[in-house]
Every structure is written in C-alpha cells, then in structure tokens.
C-alpha cells in the first residue's frame, strides 16, 4: 500500500495562527532540503497562492465537499510525489464542516480521507493549565486517533517548558514545540481573505524570519518522523490502483472520443484576475487545451489564435479604472465573444463583462458591456459558501447533474441570470444564477471542475468547433 508522507495543520478555531505557522513550516522544511508540497483544505485561492508565489512550492486545494472521499484521495495521490512531504493547512476549527455543524468538508474529514496525522496549533496566549481541557476535549472527540501532535502558539520560551511537561505527563499527545509571539510578523486581511502576495512588501523576508524562529522552537525532525508514519490501516489505494476511467473523469476528459488538438485557451491572469484552482487548470490542460495567459489590465488584445476564453475571479474592483481605460482589450474580448468564441466567466470575470462596475467608494466605471446589466458593491456579503449548481436546461452539464463550487462576493448584479439553480448543502436555501448558453457560462459561482468533468469536456468541444469554424472561414483555408 502506497501512502504519502505529511501532516495536516489544524486548530480549535480560526485566528489561531495556522497560516503564518504553515508558511514558516514550509520555508523551514525547504531550508532542510525536504521536498515539500502544500495543500489548503476548502475553497480558498489565496493561501495556495501564497504557498506557490512566496514560498515557491506546489500548492493546491483538497475538498471533500467538492469531490467526495474517493476522488479527493485520488487527487491527493496523483498530485503528490512519493518523495514529497505534504503540508496541509486546515480550515476553521478542526471539526467544522458543512454549515459549521457537519463533519463533511471539515479538516478532520480531509485528514481521515488522505490518512495523514493532525498537528493542532493552539493559541496558548494567556493560558496555563486550562489548555489541558482544550486538548483533552479534542482528543476525546478524535474517534480515529488522528491527532498526534501539538504546537503552542504565542507562548514564551520559559513558560513553554512547563506547559509541555504538563501536557505530555497528562495527555497522550506529543508536544512538538512552540511559536513565540512576534507582533511584527502577521499577514494582513481583506474581506475576501488574506491580502494578495504582491501587495505585501518584504513578505518573503518576513516568512524567512518566521521560518528561522520556528526552526529554533519546533522539533522539525520529530514532525517529519510523525508525518512519515502510517496513521492507521486504510484502504487508501496506490497510484497504480487508480483505474483509468477514474483518472479520465478526474482530469476533465469525458471520453476518449474527443480528438486532442493544440486548442488555445486564453486565460485572464494578472493582479485583477488571479483566482484559479490549480486542479481546474490541470483539468483544462488534460482535456486538450493549451493555456495562454494574458492580462486584461496591461495587454491590448487576446492571445493570437485563441479558441476559447476563461475569465477567472479576483479583484477587478481594485483595478476598475485601469480595466475601464484599456479600451483595446475590452474591444478584443467583446469582438471575440460576439463572433462566437466559447467563454467561461467566474465572479470577478463575470463582473468585468457587465455594462458598468460601481466600486466601494461609489465610483462607476464602464466595463465590457457584454451583459446589459450593472454590478455594484453592496456593503455586505451577498452569497457565501458552498453550493451545488444545476442547469435549468442541459448545456455544459448532463440533465440532472450538478457541478460544485462556492460563492463569496460583496458585489451584486442587476441581472444575475436564470440559467442555473444554486442549492446550499445544508438548510433549504437556493437561488437562481448564471447566464449560460451552448458556448458560454457566466456568473458569480467559483466552480471546482473535477466535481463534474463534463463541464470541461463540453467547453473543450465547443472550442474545437469554434477553431474549426475559424479555420474554414480563413482566406487561407
């Protein structure tokens, strides 16, 4: 049985210091020349972006709501080399799953699914013996005995020694070390999560400082040993056990019948549009697309020879002026879409296609005007969290099927669309959304393509048809 090495970094609650310690740990392991791969539990773009951009390690997402246990397990195996040590950053509190009340989609559920030990990061500032009750409670609720270690955050060197002895004498858990409080080291926040890597000056240096501190106060050899031991007997398959049909389904190609060509997909990627799951990009490539990135902020036209367009999420509201002033690029996109180029636009990309965009400060900017509708800041979350999306009329999906994703936006449109019904996984909330046709899918949802690879297969098929039509219409044809 081929398992993978690694640990899941979790906490009792958000705000315990997971992200900073995760970044410091990855950097510290890199300094020890340990091959590291990182993952974020849940629907998060920015933490993996930090891991890739600032730390220079492969970073992706694993989510049991999006892909269930078996497919999540296989994605983890397929994306993690045997020699790599996986550092998986949890989300919220360890047991907080769907709706905050279910185990599904929690950090604990993911740890069980990929069979990695859990290391709890506990903010112990202002605490003494009371920390025993927190740890004892988590250990008693850990039915699979996954919690193997603890790192105490925001404690002094002197007090740590006393706490460590107390914990290990009374509880069956290994104290791996501590991280002292360092007020100068913090990652600033924004309403969509952590600030973008490019916005934080000297961030790499801060992470190096944090890594040096962590290497002095956390037993990394013990951590590596803990993460290299099998946690429990599992039915986790090796990569040779993953059936070919599952591989095809996970990577985005619905059948072998589609003839792969070098079909160019123009992908908007710059400071305004940068929210992409690595698993989505991989699915697009493995379906047959050749990805070419371009900047709606800085470039004047779409990549030459593009057969399809992907406008991902991001922060278009922060660059509304620049986007609005780049008339050449907007005209290039408008012409392509009106000529029939297949397109997908998610959240920020959807906002860009509107007639106007009104930002938080009340300034209105003209946008592409593909959609005769207006988008504006609402001052509160409009929709938040997981949802499954089902088309009212089968277009990108088969009849009755859904694709999973999430919404998280403070902006709203005067025309959100009626092509899909969004259904929350808990409770009874649902709403209409998305403008979809045979060759386009535009809306606020952020989609996770491996949850239904038919979406990518349809998109690719439409790109093939468009490329063929352009070739036939060419004077040289």
């Amino acid at each position: 049985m081929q398992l993978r090495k690694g640990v899941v970094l979790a906490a009792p609650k958000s705000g315990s210091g997971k992200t900073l310690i995760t970044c410091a740990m990855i950097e510290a392991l890199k300094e020890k020349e340990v091959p590291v791969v990182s993952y974020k539990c849940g629907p998060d773009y920015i933490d993996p972006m930090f891991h890739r951009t600032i730390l220079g390690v492969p970073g992706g997402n694993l989510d049991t709501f999006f892909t269930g246990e078996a497919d999540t397990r296989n994605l983890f195996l397929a994306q993690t080399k045997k020699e790599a040590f996986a550092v998986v950053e949890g989300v919220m509190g360890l047991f907080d799953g769907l709706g905050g009340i279910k185990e599904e989609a929690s950090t604990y559920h993911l740890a069980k699914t990929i069979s990695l030990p859990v290391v709890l990061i506990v903010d112990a500032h202002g605490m003494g013996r009371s920390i025993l009750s927190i740890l004892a409670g988590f250990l008693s609720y850990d039915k699979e005995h996954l919690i193997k270690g603890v790192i105490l955050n925001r404690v002094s060197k002197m007090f740590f020694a006393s706490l460590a002895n107390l914990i290990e004498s009374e509880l069956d858990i290994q104290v791996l070390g501590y991280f002292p409080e360092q007020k100068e080291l913090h990652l600033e926040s924004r309403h969509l999560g952590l600030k973008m890597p490019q916005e934080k000056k000297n961030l790499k240096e801060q992470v190096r400082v944090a890594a040096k501190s962590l290497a002095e106060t956390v037993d990394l050899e013990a951590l590596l040993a803990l993460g290299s031991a099998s946690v429990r007997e599992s039915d986790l398959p090796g990569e040779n056990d993953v059936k070919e049909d599952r591989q095809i389904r996970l990577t985005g190609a619905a059948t072998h019948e589609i003839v792969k060509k070098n079909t160019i997909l123009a992908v908007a990627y710059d400071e305004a549009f940068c929210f992409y799951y690595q698993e989505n990009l991989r699915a697009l490539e493995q379906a047959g697309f050749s990805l070419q990135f371009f900047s709606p902020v800085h470039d004047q036209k779409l990549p030459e020879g593009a057969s399809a367009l992907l406008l991902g999420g991001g922060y278009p509201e922060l660059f509304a002026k620049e986007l609005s002033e780049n008339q050449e690029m907007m005209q290039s996109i408008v012409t392509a879409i009106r000529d029939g180029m297949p397109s997908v636009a998610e959240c920020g990309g959807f906002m860009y296609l509107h007639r106007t965009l009104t930002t938080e400060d009340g300034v209105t900017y003209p946008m592409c005007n593909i959609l005769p509708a207006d988008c504006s800041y609402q001052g509160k979350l409009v929709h938040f969290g997981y949802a499954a999306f089902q088309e009212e009329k089968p277009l990108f999906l088969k009849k009755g099927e859904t694709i999973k994703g999430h919404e998280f936006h403070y902006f709203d449109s005067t025309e959100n669309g009626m092509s899909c019904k969004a259904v929350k996984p808990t409770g009874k909330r649902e709403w209409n959304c998305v403008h979809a046709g045979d060759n386009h899918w535009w809306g606020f949802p952020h989609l996770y393509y491996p949850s239904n690879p038919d979406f990518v297969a349809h998109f690719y098929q439409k790109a093939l048809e468009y490329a063929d039509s352009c070739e036939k219409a060419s004077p040289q044809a």
Side-chain angles (χ1 to χ4, degrees):
M1 183 185 301
Q2 178 61 55
L3 302 178
R4 294 293 188 267
K5 300 176 289 186
V7 293
V8 175
L9 300 181
K13 64 181 182 66
S14 295
S16 299
K18 288 194 305 290
T19 296
L20 180 57
I21 290 178
T22 297
C23 290
M25 183 178 293
I26 292 170
E27 183 69 18
L29 291 174
K30 280 181 57 187
E31 288 294 320
K32 292 175 66 68
E33 298 185 346
V34 176
V36 181
V37 60
S38 72
Y39 294 99
K40 174 66 178 179
C41 174
D44 186 297
Y45 293 104
I46 300 178
D47 285 354
M49 196 186 308
F50 263 82
H51 301 166
R52 293 190 301 269
T53 306
I54 301 301
L55 301 171
V57 300
N61 295 75
L62 294 170
D63 191 303
T64 53
F65 169 71
F66 286 159
T67 46
E69 292 182 357
D71 286 353
T72 300
R73 191 180 295 135
N74 286 321
L75 281 168
F76 174 63
L77 286 172
Q79 296 175 177
T80 309
K81 295 180 180 179
K82 292 180 183 179
E83 66 273 14
F85 190 88
V87 177
V88 183
E89 181 182 351
V91 61
M92 299 176 64
L94 175 60
F95 299 106
D96 301 332
L98 295 180
I101 58 174
K102 292 189 176 183
E103 181 182 288
E104 182 186 356
S106 68
T107 302
Y108 190 75
H109 189 203
L110 178 61
K112 279 202 306 183
T113 298
I114 61 177
S115 194
L116 289 185
V118 173
V119 173
L120 272 181
I121 296 170
V122 180
D123 186 347
H125 182 71
M127 297 179 67
R129 187 177 179 84
S130 295
I131 198 170
L132 291 174
S133 65
I134 294 176
L135 293 174
F138 272 77
L139 289 169
S140 68
Y141 203 66
D142 175 17
K143 306 305 181 186
E144 301 289 334
H145 306 292
L146 298 177
I147 303 173
K148 299 296 182 181
V150 61
I151 295 173
L152 303 181
N153 191 24
R154 298 211 303 154
V155 296
S156 66
K157 179 179 180 180
M158 185 178 299
F159 194 37
F160 166 74
S162 299
L163 279 179
N165 289 332
L166 180 65
I167 292 168
E168 292 190 334
S169 66
E170 297 201 21
L171 300 174
D172 183 20
I173 191 170
Q174 185 177 4
V175 182
L176 296 169
Y178 71 101
F179 194 72
E181 182 171 23
Q182 301 181 59
K183 294 181 179 179
E184 69 278 9
L185 296 177
H186 64 284
L187 299 176
E188 297 175 33
S189 296
R190 184 201 301 286
H191 58 262
L192 285 178
L194 294 173
K195 279 196 172 181
M196 300 295 293
Q198 299 91 331
E199 296 176 37
K200 188 62 182 172
K201 293 181 180 179
N202 303 317
L203 183 57
K204 289 186 178 181
E205 180 59 30
Q206 288 201 41
V207 171
R208 280 193 285 268
V209 171
K212 182 179 180 181
S213 176
L214 184 126
E216 294 171 352
T217 59
V218 172
D219 189 341
L220 293 177
E221 292 299 331
L223 177 88
L224 289 169
L226 186 155
S228 299
S230 181
V231 177
R232 61 186 174 88
E233 286 301 315
S234 165
D235 60 351
L236 202 63
E239 55 267 54
N240 293 332
D241 299 322
V242 180
K243 293 183 179 180
E244 185 181 7
D245 62 345
R246 183 178 295 281
Q247 287 278 33
I248 294 168
R249 191 161 65 84
L250 283 172
T251 56
T255 72
H256 284 298
E257 296 173 4
I258 296 176
V259 178
K260 291 187 177 181
K261 297 182 179 179
N262 187 29
T263 304
I264 295 173
L265 174 62
V267 181
Y269 194 94
D270 56 17
E271 56 267 45
F273 303 98
C274 50
F275 288 178
Y276 295 99
Y277 291 120
Q278 293 302 294
E279 294 78 14
N280 283 5
L281 298 179
R282 188 175 296 111
L284 290 163
E285 287 181 321
Q286 292 177 325
F289 280 114
S290 173
L291 307 188
Q292 289 198 18
F293 299 99
F294 73 99
S295 169
V297 173
H298 302 289
D299 296 334
Q300 274 69 55
K301 62 180 181 178
L302 292 174
E304 197 70 33
S307 300
L309 170 65
L310 176 60
L311 298 168
Y315 294 121
E317 67 272 24
L318 300 183
F319 303 93
K321 182 175 184 293
E322 292 84 348
L323 290 168
S324 180
E325 290 175 348
N326 193 347
Q327 294 288 323
E328 294 88 351
M329 174 54 74
M330 287 197 294
Q331 187 56 51
S332 178
I333 289 173
V334 168
T335 299
I337 290 177
R338 289 180 177 167
D339 282 349
M341 179 182 286
S343 58
V344 171
E346 301 182 14
C347 202
F350 174 57
M351 293 162 60
Y352 182 48
L353 295 183
H354 278 67
R355 177 170 49 211
T356 64
L357 174 61
T358 302
T359 59
E360 184 176 354
D361 56 9
V363 180
T364 297
Y365 297 93
M367 292 285 119
C368 289
N369 198 22
I370 286 291
L371 285 168
D374 303 299
C375 192
S376 60
Y377 182 73
Q378 301 298 301
K380 62 180 181 179
L381 273 171
V382 179
H383 288 298
F384 166 74
Y386 290 117
F389 303 92
Q390 182 174 359
E391 294 175 334
E392 296 290 345
K393 172 186 175 183
L395 294 164
F396 278 59
L397 307 175
K398 293 177 182 177
K399 184 177 181 180
E401 290 191 353
T402 65
I403 187 167
K404 293 180 179 179
H406 75 283
E407 288 196 24
F408 194 141
H409 52 98
Y410 285 74
F411 285 73
D412 203 5
S413 171
T414 55
E415 294 289 344
N416 280 304
M418 300 290 288
S419 300
C420 288
K421 179 173 289 184
V423 179
K424 297 285 287 182
T426 57
K428 298 181 179 179
R429 290 188 60 205
E430 58 183 52
W431 61 93
N432 293 318
C433 59
V434 177
H435 296 262
D438 193 43
N439 74 341
H440 68 273
W441 212 97
W442 310 327
F444 274 115
H446 293 283
L447 303 178
Y448 193 77
Y449 301 160
S451 69
N452 192 329
D454 285 336
F455 185 92
V456 172
H458 180 88
F459 190 32
Y460 180 68
Q461 183 62 46
K462 293 293 112 179
L464 283 178
E465 293 172 7
Y466 177 76
D468 288 343
S469 69
C470 290
E471 186 175 337
K472 291 175 181 176
S474 171
Q476 290 79 25

